[in-house]
Amino acid sequence: MQLLNLFDDEAQAEEVEMAVSDQLTKLAARAKEAEDRAAAAQGKASADLEKDVEAARTSAQKQADKLRATAEAKKGKLSAWWYDVQRSWDEHIESIRSDIETRRAEHDLERAQTNADNAEDDAAFAVDYAYAAIEEAEYAVLDASLARTHADELATASTSSRT
Protein backbone atom coordinates (compact mmCIF):
# COMPACT_ATOMS: atom_id res chain seq x y z
CA MET A 1 0.00 0.00 0.00
CA GLN A 2 1.46 3.32 -1.07
CA LEU A 3 -0.93 5.79 0.55
CA LEU A 4 1.93 7.43 2.39
CA ASN A 5 3.61 8.79 -0.75
CA LEU A 6 3.10 12.32 -1.95
CA PHE A 7 1.44 12.59 -5.35
CA ASP A 8 2.32 14.85 -8.24
CA ASP A 9 -0.91 14.26 -10.09
CA GLU A 10 -4.38 12.78 -9.76
CA ALA A 11 -3.54 9.69 -11.85
CA GLN A 12 -0.97 8.57 -9.29
CA ALA A 13 -3.50 9.07 -6.48
CA GLU A 14 -6.08 6.94 -8.31
CA GLU A 15 -3.49 4.21 -8.84
CA VAL A 16 -2.83 4.04 -5.10
CA GLU A 17 -6.52 4.02 -4.26
CA MET A 18 -6.94 1.08 -6.63
CA ALA A 19 -4.11 -0.70 -4.84
CA VAL A 20 -5.93 -0.25 -1.54
CA SER A 21 -9.15 -1.44 -3.12
CA ASP A 22 -7.28 -4.45 -4.46
CA GLN A 23 -6.02 -5.16 -0.97
CA LEU A 24 -9.60 -5.19 0.32
CA THR A 25 -10.50 -7.65 -2.46
CA LYS A 26 -7.54 -9.83 -1.47
CA LEU A 27 -8.68 -9.64 2.16
CA ALA A 28 -12.20 -10.77 1.25
CA ALA A 29 -10.83 -13.69 -0.76
CA ARG A 30 -8.56 -14.72 2.13
CA ALA A 31 -11.50 -14.60 4.55
CA LYS A 32 -13.49 -16.88 2.21
CA GLU A 33 -10.54 -19.27 2.02
CA ALA A 34 -10.38 -19.39 5.83
CA GLU A 35 -14.13 -20.03 5.97
CA ASP A 36 -13.82 -22.91 3.49
CA ARG A 37 -10.92 -24.48 5.39
CA ALA A 38 -12.76 -24.21 8.71
CA ALA A 39 -15.82 -25.92 7.20
CA ALA A 40 -13.66 -28.68 5.71
CA ALA A 41 -11.99 -29.27 9.08
CA GLN A 42 -15.21 -30.66 10.57
CA GLY A 43 -14.81 -34.11 9.04
CA LYS A 44 -11.03 -34.46 9.08
CA ALA A 45 -9.01 -36.94 11.07
CA SER A 46 -6.75 -35.70 13.85
CA ALA A 47 -3.53 -36.28 11.88
CA ASP A 48 -4.86 -34.29 8.92
CA LEU A 49 -6.00 -31.50 11.22
CA GLU A 50 -2.57 -31.37 12.84
CA LYS A 51 -1.01 -30.83 9.40
CA ASP A 52 -3.55 -28.11 8.61
CA VAL A 53 -2.94 -26.43 11.97
CA GLU A 54 0.81 -26.43 11.42
CA ALA A 55 0.41 -25.04 7.89
CA ALA A 56 -1.93 -22.33 9.18
CA ARG A 57 0.48 -21.46 11.97
CA THR A 58 3.40 -21.22 9.53
CA SER A 59 1.35 -19.04 7.20
CA ALA A 60 0.19 -16.81 10.06
CA GLN A 61 3.77 -16.45 11.31
CA LYS A 62 4.96 -15.53 7.83
CA GLN A 63 2.25 -12.85 7.58
CA ALA A 64 3.06 -11.56 11.08
CA ASP A 65 6.74 -11.30 10.12
CA LYS A 66 5.80 -9.43 6.95
CA LEU A 67 3.56 -7.05 8.91
CA ARG A 68 6.34 -6.44 11.44
CA ALA A 69 8.84 -5.70 8.66
CA THR A 70 6.40 -3.30 7.01
CA ALA A 71 5.78 -1.52 10.31
CA GLU A 72 9.53 -1.18 10.88
CA ALA A 73 10.19 0.01 7.35
CA LYS A 74 7.45 2.64 7.59
CA LYS A 75 8.00 3.53 11.24
CA GLY A 76 8.40 7.23 10.49
CA LYS A 77 5.43 7.27 8.10
CA LEU A 78 2.87 5.21 10.02
CA SER A 79 1.09 6.89 12.86
CA ALA A 80 2.52 5.92 16.23
CA TRP A 81 -0.82 4.33 17.05
CA TRP A 82 -0.60 1.78 14.20
CA TYR A 83 3.00 1.03 15.07
CA ASP A 84 1.99 0.36 18.69
CA VAL A 85 -0.92 -1.84 17.53
CA GLN A 86 1.52 -3.94 15.50
CA ARG A 87 3.86 -4.37 18.49
CA SER A 88 0.93 -5.24 20.75
CA TRP A 89 -0.28 -7.76 18.16
CA ASP A 90 3.12 -9.49 18.19
CA GLU A 91 3.00 -9.80 21.99
CA HIS A 92 -0.58 -11.05 21.86
CA ILE A 93 0.20 -13.73 19.26
CA GLU A 94 3.24 -14.94 21.20
CA SER A 95 1.12 -15.31 24.35
CA ILE A 96 -1.69 -17.14 22.54
CA ARG A 97 0.70 -19.58 20.88
CA SER A 98 2.40 -20.32 24.17
CA ASP A 99 -0.99 -21.00 25.76
CA ILE A 100 -2.01 -23.26 22.87
CA GLU A 101 1.17 -25.32 23.21
CA THR A 102 0.58 -25.68 26.96
CA ARG A 103 -3.00 -26.84 26.42
CA ARG A 104 -1.92 -29.38 23.81
CA ALA A 105 0.41 -31.01 26.29
CA GLU A 106 -2.43 -31.82 28.70
CA HIS A 107 -4.06 -35.24 28.36
CA ASP A 108 -6.74 -35.31 31.07
CA LEU A 109 -10.20 -35.72 29.45
CA GLU A 110 -11.99 -33.08 31.52
CA ARG A 111 -9.12 -30.67 31.02
CA ALA A 112 -9.05 -31.47 27.29
CA GLN A 113 -12.78 -30.71 27.00
CA THR A 114 -12.33 -27.43 28.85
CA ASN A 115 -9.39 -26.60 26.60
CA ALA A 116 -11.48 -27.38 23.51
CA ASP A 117 -14.28 -25.12 24.79
CA ASN A 118 -11.77 -22.35 25.47
CA ALA A 119 -10.16 -22.82 22.06
CA GLU A 120 -13.57 -22.51 20.41
CA ASP A 121 -14.29 -19.35 22.39
CA ASP A 122 -10.88 -17.97 21.41
CA ALA A 123 -11.54 -18.80 17.76
CA ALA A 124 -14.93 -17.07 17.87
CA PHE A 125 -13.37 -13.99 19.44
CA ALA A 126 -10.54 -14.03 16.86
CA VAL A 127 -13.16 -13.97 14.10
CA ASP A 128 -14.96 -11.08 15.82
CA TYR A 129 -11.63 -9.28 16.16
CA ALA A 130 -10.86 -9.83 12.48
CA TYR A 131 -14.31 -8.52 11.56
CA ALA A 132 -13.64 -5.38 13.59
CA ALA A 133 -10.25 -5.07 11.88
CA ILE A 134 -11.95 -5.22 8.48
CA GLU A 135 -14.37 -2.51 9.59
CA GLU A 136 -11.41 -0.42 10.74
CA ALA A 137 -9.58 -1.07 7.45
CA GLU A 138 -12.62 0.14 5.50
CA TYR A 139 -12.76 3.27 7.63
CA ALA A 140 -9.02 3.88 7.13
CA VAL A 141 -9.27 3.41 3.35
CA LEU A 142 -12.24 5.75 3.05
CA ASP A 143 -10.63 8.31 5.36
CA ALA A 144 -7.44 8.18 3.26
CA SER A 145 -9.51 8.78 0.13
CA LEU A 146 -11.22 11.72 1.80
CA ALA A 147 -7.88 13.14 2.92
CA ARG A 148 -6.49 12.81 -0.62
CA THR A 149 -9.60 14.46 -2.10
CA HIS A 150 -9.34 17.29 0.41
CA ALA A 151 -5.64 17.79 -0.38
CA ASP A 152 -6.38 17.79 -4.12
CA GLU A 153 -9.16 20.35 -3.63
CA LEU A 154 -6.82 22.59 -1.63
CA ALA A 155 -4.15 22.25 -4.32
CA THR A 156 -6.67 23.17 -7.03
CA ALA A 157 -7.92 26.14 -5.01
CA SER A 158 -4.36 27.26 -4.39
CA THR A 159 -3.50 27.02 -8.09
CA SER A 160 -6.73 28.83 -9.05
CA SER A 161 -6.07 31.68 -6.66
CA ARG A 162 -2.61 32.25 -8.14
CA THR A 163 -3.97 32.77 -11.64
Side-chain angles (χ1 to χ4, degrees):
M1 182 163 68
Q2 299 284 327
L3 278 179
L4 301 172
N5 290 342
L6 298 174
F7 301 104
D8 294 328
D9 64 302
E10 192 173 312
Q12 285 179 312
E14 287 178 21
E15 183 178 308
V16 169
E17 288 175 20
M18 285 301 292
V20 173
S21 175
D22 290 345
Q23 285 180 310
L24 290 173
T25 300
K26 182 180 174 182
L27 179 61
R30 182 61 183 94
K32 177 62 176 146
E33 187 178 311
E35 176 187 12
D36 293 346
R37 286 183 181 164
Q42 299 300 320
K44 286 191 171 187
S46 181
D48 291 334
L49 280 173
E50 285 180 21
K51 289 177 187 174
D52 290 350
V53 167
E54 187 56 38
R57 180 181 177 143
T58 300
S59 178
Q61 184 61 52
K62 190 173 168 182
Q63 187 61 36
D65 292 345
K66 184 178 174 183
L67 183 62
R68 184 180 314 103
T70 299
E72 284 299 323
K74 295 188 177 198
K75 188 174 181 178
K77 296 179 179 182
L78 288 175
S79 68
W81 184 85
W82 275 115
Y83 184 78
D84 290 343
V85 165
Q86 192 281 319
R87 274 194 10 249
S88 175
W89 178 253
D90 281 349
E91 292 168 6
H92 171 73
I93 294 301
E94 185 177 317
S95 174
I96 286 175
R97 289 191 179 161
S98 175
D99 185 52
I100 288 171
E101 294 302 322
T102 299
R103 285 188 276 173
R104 270 194 201 154
E106 297 174 358
H107 297 290
D108 175 75
L109 174 61
E110 185 176 324
R111 187 70 156 151
Q113 289 174 333
T114 299
N115 287 344
D117 291 342
N118 291 344
E120 289 167 349
D121 290 341
D122 286 352
F125 188 80
V127 170
D128 289 344
Y129 191 90
Y131 189 90
I134 289 169
E135 293 282 334
E136 195 60 34
E138 177 186 23
Y139 164 72
V141 167
L142 294 174
D143 185 57
S145 292
L146 177 62
R148 175 57 49 209
T149 299
H150 181 68
D152 291 346
E153 288 170 352
L154 288 175
T156 300
S158 175
T159 302
S160 297
S161 68
R162 290 182 191 165
T163 57

